[in-house]
Amino acid sequence: MAAIDHFLVNRTAAPSGGLGLELLEIAGGREDGIGITIVAGLLPGGNAQTSGILPGDSIVSLEVMDPEKKKFFEPIGTECLGYDKTVEAIIEQLPPNWELIKVTVKRLRRKPKVRVELQFPPSQGDPVEFIELFAGENLRRAMLVRGVKLNDDLSKRFDNGGSGNCGADGTCATCVVSVLEGAHLLSPQGLQEQQMLQKNPRWRMACKAIVGYGQQEGTLKLIVNPRQWN
């Protein structure tokens, strides 16, 4: 997941120096100069050292401040260029007397993860299992994809008292889990779910729960098929 960030580089730390960025090509070698070049490091004492730019950032563009008009010139585009073309664009278009540059970068952001501990009914004889889910995943779908047997075939459906599951419509409640720890990591219950599970306040319908609510990280401890524990 990439996000666009903007940083200002003042030419104060090294008035006669450049940006103070070390660049690294991680994809390229094409005749047309297309590639991916990222910041490999920041020179100690360089102008960009305290700008907020980080190793791993990919430079999208540079905008030089016009000292007379107090506005930025047209951007110097460097996105999707190999190392040589990136350096060439900066050298050829960056004025030698620049004082302030706005650097636009793409930054890869680590998607928050939630560590989930799963405890199964003693009758199944399965050991405690640990899985990692990304924030934003639907709990039911994520568990099924990872091979967790979730829907309780021994429980009666909430809606009609029969067997089988509703396929994530939120009407049967056969996918309920009991939350031992980390309830705050799940999206809030809707009114229907609250009404269906009001006798079991620790229970959640996995099909209606989103993990990592609010982009939070942490540990979520669940009891799978809680009806079989009674």
Side-chain angles (χ1 to χ4, degrees):
M1 181 172 62
I4 299 292
D5 284 310
H6 308 279
F7 300 97
L8 294 177
V9 177
N10 285 286
R11 203 174 196 175
T12 52
S16 60
L19 288 168
L21 298 174
E22 297 177 347
L23 303 178
L24 173 68
E25 182 181 88
I26 60 174
R30 295 172 36 155
E31 292 183 0
D32 58 7
I34 299 298
I36 300 176
T37 301
I38 64 171
V39 176
L42 290 86
L43 296 178
N47 290 307
Q49 186 177 21
T50 60
S51 65
I53 298 173
L54 297 176
D57 287 346
S58 174
I59 300 177
V60 174
S61 65
L62 306 171
E63 297 175 63
V64 180
M65 172 65 76
D66 183 341
E68 295 181 0
K69 298 182 179 180
K70 300 300 180 182
K71 67 177 184 178
F72 290 102
F73 290 113
E74 287 296 312
I76 301 170
T78 57
E79 186 175 15
C80 297
L81 296 180
Y83 177 86
D84 290 340
K85 284 291 185 181
T86 299
V87 173
E88 180 181 309
I90 294 174
I91 291 177
E92 289 185 356
Q93 300 183 59
L94 196 64
N97 61 339
W98 68 269
E99 296 179 359
L100 177 67
I101 295 178
K102 180 168 70 174
V103 182
T104 299
V105 305
K106 277 188 176 178
R107 175 168 297 174
L108 292 177
R109 298 197 186 281
R110 184 179 61 84
K111 198 162 188 180
K113 292 182 179 180
V114 174
R115 187 171 187 265
V116 184
E117 176 184 309
L118 303 173
Q119 300 181 21
F120 300 93
S123 59
Q124 292 185 205
D126 294 327
V128 174
E129 184 176 342
F130 296 91
I131 59 176
E132 275 193 340
L133 307 184
F134 288 106
E137 287 195 80
N138 175 271
L139 181 58
R140 176 184 184 272
R141 186 181 305 115
M143 291 174 69
L144 292 177
V145 166
R146 289 163 177 80
V148 178
K149 181 174 169 32
L150 177 61
N151 289 86
D152 189 350
D153 295 332
L154 301 181
S155 67
K156 293 182 179 180
R157 292 175 59 122
F158 181 90
D159 50 2
N160 60 24
S163 60
N165 71 78
C166 65
D169 284 340
T171 58
C172 72
T174 63
C175 68
V176 295
V177 294
S178 181
V179 182
L180 299 178
E181 181 182 314
H184 65 285
L185 297 173
L186 298 176
S187 56
Q189 287 180 314
L191 180 59
Q192 178 176 309
E193 184 182 0
Q194 290 179 12
Q195 293 173 342
M196 292 172 65
L197 303 179
Q198 58 183 337
K199 294 182 179 180
N200 298 283
R202 284 186 173 272
W203 287 13
R204 289 299 310 269
M205 294 170 65
C207 66
K208 295 302 178 183
I210 302 300
V211 177
Y213 180 68
Q215 297 297 298
Q216 297 181 87
E217 291 188 312
T219 299
L220 180 64
K221 294 184 179 181
L222 304 175
I223 286 179
V224 181
N225 297 337
R227 293 186 181 90
Q228 295 188 33
W229 289 72
N230 298 329

